[in-house]
Amino acid sequence: MRAAISSARAARLQVAVAASAQNSKVHVEGSVGFAGDSAQGMERAARVSVTGERPLVDFGQTDRRVALAALRAEIAQQQARGAIDAALANVLRQFGKRRSAARTLTIIDHYLTLYHARAALIEAAVASGVMSTSDVLEIKALKNQILSQRAKADLAKQVSSTALKLALEPQYDAAIADLRSGVDALAPPSFEIPNSVAARLVQLRQSDARLQIELEANAGKPVGHFRTSVTSPTFDDPDTSLFAGVTFSMPVKDGGMAKAKIVGLEQALATLGHEQVLLEQTSKLAQSEWQSFAKFYEVETTLLEQRLRISRARVEALELRLRAGRTDVKTLVKEILSSAQSQVAQVELRGDLLSQSIKAAVKVQSTCTLIRLCGDIATIFEGLPP
């Protein structure tokens, strides 16, 4: 990401380099040595020549080169934004994994505490013969399943935490706080193609190709400069030489190079046109997939809430029935572990919401819209050279 920003800064500096071609230039050349002919021998001699030159006419080629440098600076800037977008998407994925894993661990630990609080009841039920070996094995299988989920969550938390620390140091704590507030107020992905980094890059590359075609089409036109020069006397010319006037140069034949370049650039333009169409199709498909997931998320959220309410109500009811001796501890323990699964499923669904949002936003490189960071990212490039 830093490399991309540095490239954008370097590309912006090239605009000034291209614009300097419009400025006057002065060239000084000097030589010191011996001069003469075979008859008179050699004598010490010195020569100084000063030449001043200013562009007079080039049929807009310098202006086109300056515009091309500015275009490429903006292309580099958009590429840097794309790199930032990709880095942000990765950070958000890791943050989502870490948050889901941490919440899963909290939930499982809570329900395991409830389970262990009833371990004595299980042992008593086994000792009295109320609970069979098969029942005990069934409960252990459910517990092991929960423990397996806990181990996976713990691993996911460790891996994602390491990835976040590597990506966010040395601003880790502040960045985590910003990510937490941004994800808590997650915005839906944006599918506005004209405002996306990907679309802007295609447009800029099209402009770049068109400008290069103009440059090649005008490459055979003459270039004129206003030139003045002063040359000091030499051993065979005692007078100072002066020149002031207009010089012209014009390529007569380039072997078909310009024409070949134009053909290649026109093909590149056609390819960019296809990319633009493909980007629009990709955006529509991503939007359709997101809308389908949003409907599923709404329905699944309601179902999981109902499932968890029912499970909690059953736990309370079974607790009362167990005290009254009207049910066994096996049924209660199974319902406690079922409640854990329902709450973990809620956490996983919220994690899916974040991952699906990222997946949709990445398609058009607009991840920053999810946590409203686009304005902050834009300020990174405000300090680049004009």
Side-chain angles (χ1 to χ4, degrees):
M1 185 172 68
R2 288 182 182 139
I5 295 172
S6 296
S7 295
R9 183 175 288 108
R12 179 61 63 184
L13 292 171
Q14 291 304 309
V15 179
V17 175
S20 68
Q22 299 171 324
N23 300 332
S24 298
K25 296 176 179 60
V26 177
H27 177 71
V28 178
E29 181 180 353
S31 58
V32 177
F34 295 90
D37 53 36
S38 57
Q40 297 178 350
M42 304 290 287
E43 294 181 358
R44 284 186 300 231
R47 178 178 178 274
V48 177
S49 176
V50 181
T51 303
E53 185 177 86
R54 183 176 182 82
L56 189 62
V57 60
D58 66 354
F59 293 92
Q61 290 292 78
T62 300
D63 291 336
R64 292 186 187 97
R65 291 188 184 96
V66 172
L68 186 62
L71 267 175
R72 289 180 177 173
E74 192 169 353
I75 287 172
Q77 180 173 313
Q78 292 299 323
Q79 287 173 332
R81 288 190 182 212
I84 292 172
D85 189 86
L88 178 60
N90 181 58
V91 166
L92 281 174
R93 286 191 197 98
Q94 297 300 332
F95 177 80
K97 289 177 182 178
R98 195 190 78 153
R99 189 169 72 160
S100 293
R103 289 180 173 179
T104 297
L105 288 171
T106 300
I107 292 166
I108 290 176
D109 287 345
H110 169 71
Y111 282 99
L112 284 175
T113 300
L114 296 179
Y115 169 84
H116 290 305
R118 289 149 183 85
L121 291 175
I122 296 173
E123 291 174 2
V126 172
S128 63
V130 174
M131 185 178 290
S132 67
T133 304
S134 175
D135 291 336
V136 174
L137 291 175
E138 185 180 355
I139 289 175
K140 283 186 177 180
L142 290 171
K143 179 188 174 184
N144 287 341
Q145 185 179 351
I146 292 289
L147 289 173
S148 177
Q149 278 186 289
R150 192 190 187 286
K152 289 177 182 177
D154 190 44
L155 176 62
K157 183 182 177 183
Q158 291 180 40
V159 171
S160 56
S161 294
T162 301
L164 284 170
K165 286 176 182 177
L166 289 172
L168 300 176
E169 289 290 3
Q171 297 88 17
Y172 178 78
D173 293 333
I176 288 294
D178 289 340
L179 285 169
R180 187 178 294 112
S181 60
V183 171
D184 286 343
L186 192 69
S190 171
F191 300 98
E192 296 181 8
I193 286 292
N195 296 331
S196 72
V197 172
R200 184 60 182 151
L201 266 174
V202 171
Q203 293 165 4
L204 289 169
R205 286 175 177 145
Q206 287 174 327
S207 298
D208 183 292
R210 292 189 188 102
L211 201 49
Q212 286 189 75
I213 288 172
E214 287 184 34
L215 277 166
E216 295 302 329
N218 289 278
K221 293 183 178 179
V223 176
H225 293 83
F226 179 74
R227 178 174 294 177
T228 60
S229 65
V230 178
T231 304
S232 63
T234 61
F235 81 98
D236 58 349
D237 184 359
D239 298 323
T240 299
S241 299
L242 300 172
F243 173 82
V246 178
T247 61
F248 284 94
S249 63
M250 182 178 71
V252 177
K253 188 175 182 180
D254 68 352
M257 183 185 295
K259 186 177 180 180
K261 285 183 178 179
I262 289 172
V263 171
L265 289 165
E266 288 173 343
Q267 183 60 49
L269 263 178
T271 302
L272 287 167
H274 295 317
E275 284 186 21
Q276 194 168 32
V277 172
L278 181 60
L279 182 61
E280 291 170 358
Q281 292 174 344
T282 301
S283 175
K284 288 178 181 178
L285 179 60
Q287 187 171 14
S288 176
E289 290 176 351
W290 166 254
Q291 289 170 345
S292 297
F293 173 79
K295 291 177 183 177
F296 161 78
Y297 179 81
E298 185 178 353
V299 172
E300 187 71 2
T301 297
T302 302
L303 291 174
L304 284 174
E305 286 173 353
Q306 292 174 354
R307 176 177 150 189
L308 186 58
R309 279 199 303 269
I310 292 169
S311 184
R312 284 172 173 168
R314 277 180 54 79
V315 168
E316 291 177 6
L318 288 168
E319 289 271 17
L320 294 174
R321 292 183 66 185
L322 181 64
R323 289 178 193 144
R326 296 168 55 196
T327 189
D328 55 47
V329 69
K330 168 195 167 186
T331 305
L332 174 61
V333 169
K334 284 178 68 176
E335 196 60 47
I336 289 172
L337 296 177
S338 176
S339 294
Q341 293 285 13
S342 297
Q343 203 164 347
V344 168
Q346 282 185 319
V347 171
E348 290 174 346
L349 183 62
R350 293 191 197 103
D352 288 343
L353 175 64
L354 178 58
S355 62
Q356 289 295 325
S357 298
I358 296 168
K359 178 183 175 182
V362 164
K363 295 286 182 68
V364 290
Q365 295 183 316
S366 60
T367 309
C368 61
T369 61
L370 298 177
I371 55 175
R372 300 171 179 86
L373 272 181
C374 298
D376 293 329
I377 291 173
T379 60
I380 295 173
F381 301 96
E382 290 177 0
L384 295 182

